[in-house]
Amino acid sequence: MSAMAVVRGDGRVNARALAHSVQNINSSRSLRVRSRTVLLLSTCITSCAPGVDDDRAAGNGRSAGIASADSLLLRPENPVWREAAPDSFNVAFQTSRGLFLVEVRRSWAPVGADRFYNLVRHGFFDDSRFYRVVEGFIVQFGLPGDPEVTAVWLERTIEDDPARESNLKGRIAYAMTGPDTRATQVYINLIDNVRLDTAGFAPFGQVIKGMEVVDALYAGYGENAGGGMRRGEQGRIIAEGNAHLDRDFPLLDRIVSARIVPFPWPIFWTIR
């Protein structure tokens, strides 16, 4: 079965075809065939998975992070942004350092999980930067590369979830400036930051594969590139987006794409 058969005409993944393809990969004796199949499947699913912004799915040549006038990214009031997330789902992040996988558990923080689910499925994080990487603390992202998108989402806050789980290494939660101020910025813990639990930071998921990629994200700028959220010091990113970050902090790592993957163990890691 061809890799393209894994993705149906409506852009959704054919689970049976995917399982068959992965079985073929694992049973093949040819490393070259196995590697090429993995590459084709991963490319196909990354580019065709449901939830990709309509403009990019139509192949009109617009680069990720540049929203068209009719893009859903510029219409946060649209009901599609309020869809409830599944009880659990996985998100594959393709980055400039490699791939990592986040598992989201809605029971941990349902309000936050729903927001994250909708942001991912509509391509919100694509072509954005890891603008705050502090060794021994956290990796933060979630401000779009396109300042027009940032402008319409900045005040689209959600109510708090109670912190049911601890901020252990690899867990992901929203950054915030106070009660009910969570919007789109999230962080991944690089160590066990249990002191954040009592401050109301509620994890909604965790990195389950590729934590070594997260650990390797460029941290040379520390707080200088994108810290100071609570002090109101992110104005340049908000106003200029990637143009500012790429010019003044060119070594920052980036998110190429973030996609919901409809299987528990992505084929990206089937073969090394």
Side-chain angles (χ1 to χ4, degrees):
M1 183 174 292
S2 69
M4 291 305 294
V6 172
V7 179
R8 304 196 306 248
D10 61 1
R12 296 186 178 276
V13 172
N14 183 325
R16 180 175 296 180
L18 175 63
H20 181 73
S21 296
V22 173
Q23 183 179 19
N24 286 345
I25 292 170
N26 289 331
S27 62
S28 175
R29 295 183 179 181
S30 169
L31 179 59
R32 182 179 179 183
V33 170
R34 295 164 75 187
S35 299
R36 289 177 65 182
T37 306
V38 168
L39 177 61
L40 181 56
L41 282 169
S42 61
T43 301
C44 180
I45 291 173
T46 299
S47 61
C48 301
V52 180
D53 181 83
D54 290 342
D55 292 323
R56 291 192 297 279
N60 66 2
R62 286 190 179 91
S63 61
I66 305 301
S68 66
D70 61 347
S71 171
L72 279 173
L73 293 174
L74 295 175
R75 292 184 281 128
E77 74 286 351
N78 192 298
V80 302
W81 293 101
R82 296 191 292 276
E83 183 172 323
D87 291 340
S88 65
F89 61 95
N90 295 330
V91 178
F93 283 84
Q94 182 181 0
T95 79
S96 51
R97 289 280 176 178
L99 291 154
F100 67 89
L101 181 70
V102 170
E103 178 190 47
V104 176
R105 299 185 183 183
R106 193 172 186 272
S107 61
W108 287 10
V111 178
D114 288 352
R115 167 60 63 87
F116 190 71
Y117 172 72
N118 288 298
L119 292 175
V120 171
R121 74 192 186 102
H122 293 300
F124 184 89
F125 297 111
D126 293 1
D127 195 33
S128 61
R129 306 295 181 260
F130 295 102
Y131 47 78
R132 185 187 182 201
V133 184
V134 182
E135 287 187 81
F137 186 36
I138 63 169
V139 168
Q140 188 168 325
F141 62 96
L143 287 174
D146 185 343
E148 288 188 46
V149 177
T150 304
V152 298
W153 281 95
L154 205 58
E155 302 301 324
R156 290 278 173 173
T157 56
I158 55 177
E159 64 184 28
D160 289 339
D161 285 298
R164 297 181 174 94
E165 299 292 330
S166 185
N167 280 266
L168 303 180
K169 179 174 180 174
R171 290 189 173 175
I172 183 171
Y174 284 87
M176 60 181 181
T177 58
D180 299 325
T181 60
R182 301 183 301 170
T184 64
Q185 296 192 62
V186 297
Y187 66 88
I188 299 172
N189 290 290
L190 295 178
I191 61 168
D192 291 349
N193 287 312
V194 294
R195 62 187 175 85
L196 298 178
D197 299 348
T198 56
F201 294 95
F204 58 87
Q206 60 189 344
V207 176
I208 60 172
K209 184 71 175 176
M211 190 62 201
E212 69 278 5
V213 173
V214 180
D215 286 333
L217 295 172
Y218 184 76
Y221 300 123
E223 297 280 7
N224 296 325
M229 178 182 178
R230 293 195 165 208
R231 300 187 301 274
E233 296 176 356
Q234 294 181 323
R236 292 287 301 280
I237 306 177
I238 293 169
E240 302 176 48
N242 285 348
H244 158 61
L245 292 175
D246 293 348
R247 179 182 61 248
D248 298 327
F249 303 97
L251 298 180
L252 289 176
D253 283 301
R254 69 186 186 279
I255 298 171
V256 177
S257 65
R259 295 288 181 269
I260 294 169
V261 287
F263 38 87
W265 196 256
I267 58 173
F268 305 118
W269 291 286
T270 301
I271 304 296
R272 284 295 186 184

